[in-house]
Amino acid sequence: MIEGRGQPSAGRGLLVEGAAAVATLAGGLRRGRYQADAAVMAGGPRSVAAWKGDVLAVGDGPAVAAIVAAAGLDARDFERLDARGGLVTPGLIDAHTHLVFAGTREAEWQMRLRGASYLEVLGAGGGILSTVAATRAASSGALTVGARARLHEMLSCGTTTAEVKSGYGLDVETELRLLEIIGRLGSEGPVELVPTFLGAHAVPAEFRGRPDATDAYVAAVIAEQLPRVAEQGIARFCDVFCEAGVFSAAQTAAVFEAALAMGLRLRVHADELAPSGGAELAARMGCFSADHLAEPSDEGVAALAAAATNHPVVATLLPATSWFMGKHHFAPARRFIDAGVPVALATDLNPGTSPTVSLPLVMSIACVEMGLSPAEALTAVTVNAAHSLGLGDRIGSIEPGKQADLVVWDVPSVDQLAYWLGSRPARTVVKRGRIVFDRATGVRS
Ligand code: NIG
Ligand code: FE
């Protein structure tokens, strides 16, 4: 029963019963061979009990019932959810999105499919810059309505937490406006949002005529944008598009030094199109995540491998982006896993290079194009994604005491999750112990 929707509340508990299997992902960040361990409790029927928003117990039915009773709780205070032989996993975590934007870019997409490069389009004032123009011109109300609709689509694909970047404003006013919208949508729920400031996403048009355009814009990001963002406390992370032809590793480091001094954490767009020193910088500066990594240098892979035992940088790979850009080359996921680098996957949802809301689709592409196993892909969108956001102690796995963010899937096994290509196998989604989406009954968040 959903509180606040005119239906009686069954209490503060939720009991999911009758699952064929529960992939708990218990046990922390995974790397190397452990990336493939989804910690599955199979052999059903399995149950998960949640109380006051947190996981209370997981296991076979009688064991879970015994824990509920031993905690002095009354089974009648638990709403019951029949998983009907489906798989239960943690709520999925999308650790890289550009959710808030205006406009679409289908013309540019077709240019790229005919051979134009991404940086050629950007250099000609298209690409990111066309979304910046549309976003600056859009009202906050219109931006919010569009983003909210996409969030609901994400939820219906099993996403319960998402990182969201600014970066389509590129001036103080619009960057702040985007972060405020992200904050409002996050408080509204049910999808939990982690805000990232990406002022250094591209050099905006008004700087482009100058010979020192990129340096001048970096200086403006540091002196004008970052202090306002930090002072308002509206971003948890700072990100930079570190790429040859966009922002260099030195320019990225300058933004990051300032961001660290203002209390922000770091994640970085690194080595998407060419080795640009991004992976090395991520390891050196203690980024939580290095993203894209389709073209890391050997030194970059080695730096991430060396960091992995000490202060792991999660390699957040975005295969839907490579695929949608018509690339035949994908991030070397297997190499990262073999080198002991923890791997996450994300949608990169944005109107230019990855207009998808679906993590199950991203998992399928990762299996086909990067050689991940379905279990490795599930790890990558749950526990490892949680750690890339610094939230591994609260979300990403189904363990007593952790937040009860769950998905009941229409498939019985982890292997089938990524198998039904392009389908929507999420049946019921639970956020903080509350049903927030149910495909059959039409419950909406
Ligand atoms: O992660 N690579 C840079 N930024 C985005 C794309 C943004 C855009 O093209 O609008 C990305 O792919
Ligand atoms: Fe991105």
Side-chain angles (χ1 to χ4, degrees):
M1 301 295 127
I2 308 303
E3 286 177 12
R5 291 195 177 265
Q7 298 167 25
S9 166
R12 288 164 293 175
L14 177 72
L15 183 60
V16 183
E17 300 172 295
V22 179
T24 70
L25 283 299
L29 180 72
R30 283 147 160 78
R31 55 196 196 85
R33 265 183 310 181
Y34 192 39
Q35 173 99 26
D37 180 2
V40 179
M41 292 179 170
R46 301 291 179 189
S47 299
V48 182
W51 182 251
K52 289 189 184 171
D54 290 336
V55 175
L56 178 69
V58 51
D60 63 41
V64 168
I67 292 170
V68 168
L73 299 170
D74 186 334
R76 286 170 303 185
D77 282 333
F78 285 74
E79 178 182 358
R80 282 160 192 270
L81 172 59
D82 185 354
R84 303 200 313 272
L87 168 74
V88 175
T89 71
L92 305 188
I93 299 168
D94 194 343
H96 183 137
T97 81
H98 305 254
L99 171 78
V100 188
F101 58 81
T104 56
R105 308 223 306 258
E106 61 276 19
E108 166 203 324
W109 174 51
Q110 291 166 77
M111 274 166 69
R112 279 205 315 274
L113 294 181
R114 289 194 296 267
S117 86
Y118 183 68
L119 291 183
E120 273 162 21
V121 173
L122 180 59
I128 294 174
L129 295 179
S130 69
T131 300
V132 169
T135 303
R136 285 178 176 178
S139 69
S140 294
L143 290 168
T144 304
V145 167
R148 191 186 283 125
R150 288 187 282 276
L151 270 177
H152 184 74
E153 292 292 297
M154 290 164 74
L155 182 70
S156 75
C157 293
T159 298
T160 52
T161 301
E163 184 261 13
V164 183
K165 302 170 198 300
S166 64
Y168 289 131
L170 311 186
D171 59 27
V172 179
E173 185 219 315
T174 320
E175 286 295 305
L176 291 176
R177 207 150 65 84
L178 293 175
L179 289 167
E180 280 157 15
I181 291 168
I182 296 164
R184 267 202 302 280
L185 286 167
S187 330
E188 191 178 296
V191 179
E192 184 176 340
L193 302 183
V194 178
T196 294
F197 168 62
L198 177 59
H201 193 193
V203 176
E206 58 275 21
F207 279 77
R208 287 194 170 240
R210 317 167 43 155
D212 64 339
T214 307
D215 281 332
Y217 182 63
V218 166
V221 168
I222 293 172
E224 291 160 28
Q225 297 184 20
L226 255 178
R228 298 284 301 279
V229 167
E231 163 194 302
Q232 295 195 22
I234 50 179
R236 197 172 309 163
F237 285 91
C238 178
D239 191 345
V240 173
F241 186 6
C242 178
E243 190 74 40
V246 189
F247 297 101
S248 68
Q251 289 161 334
T252 304
V255 174
F256 280 177
E257 300 282 1
L260 280 175
M262 293 182 214
L264 292 172
R265 299 169 164 194
L266 309 179
R267 51 203 314 106
V268 63
H269 282 69
D271 307 323
E272 175 184 356
L273 306 164
S276 309
E280 295 88 325
L281 175 122
R284 194 170 68 244
M285 296 201 70
C287 289
F288 277 64
S289 175
D291 299 29
H292 282 288
L293 296 172
E295 302 280 356
S297 66
D298 291 346
E299 294 75 19
V301 176
L304 293 178
T309 47
N310 198 3
H311 55 90
V313 180
V314 176
T316 300
L317 310 181
L318 312 172
T321 304
S322 307
W323 183 77
F324 192 74
M325 290 177 85
K327 303 248 175 198
H328 301 290
H329 176 81
F330 287 75
R334 180 70 29 222
R335 210 175 144 203
F336 284 124
I337 290 174
D338 290 346
V341 178
V343 168
L345 293 168
T347 59
D348 193 19
L349 166 61
N350 76 77
T353 62
S354 188
T356 182
V357 293
S358 172
L359 280 172
L361 176 65
V362 168
M363 293 163 72
S364 302
I365 301 174
C367 291
V368 173
E369 299 286 4
M370 295 173 157
L372 259 59
S373 70
E376 287 173 329
L378 181 61
T379 293
V381 295
T382 53
V383 65
N384 282 11
H387 280 271
S388 86
L389 296 172
L391 299 177
D393 57 344
R394 185 159 60 78
I395 57 173
S397 61
I398 304 175
E399 294 177 82
K402 283 212 172 174
Q403 200 164 290
D405 294 359
L406 312 169
V407 184
V408 181
W409 300 93
D410 244 336
V411 298
S413 66
V414 171
D415 288 350
Q416 278 196 33
L417 251 189
Y419 164 79
W420 293 104
L421 187 67
S423 74
R424 297 202 168 217
R427 192 196 296 148
T428 309
V429 183
V430 173
K431 182 69 183 176
R432 293 192 173 96
R434 204 168 67 91
I435 296 173
V436 289
F437 173 80
D438 188 285
R439 188 170 303 286
T441 62
V443 168
R444 288 177 67 103
S445 51

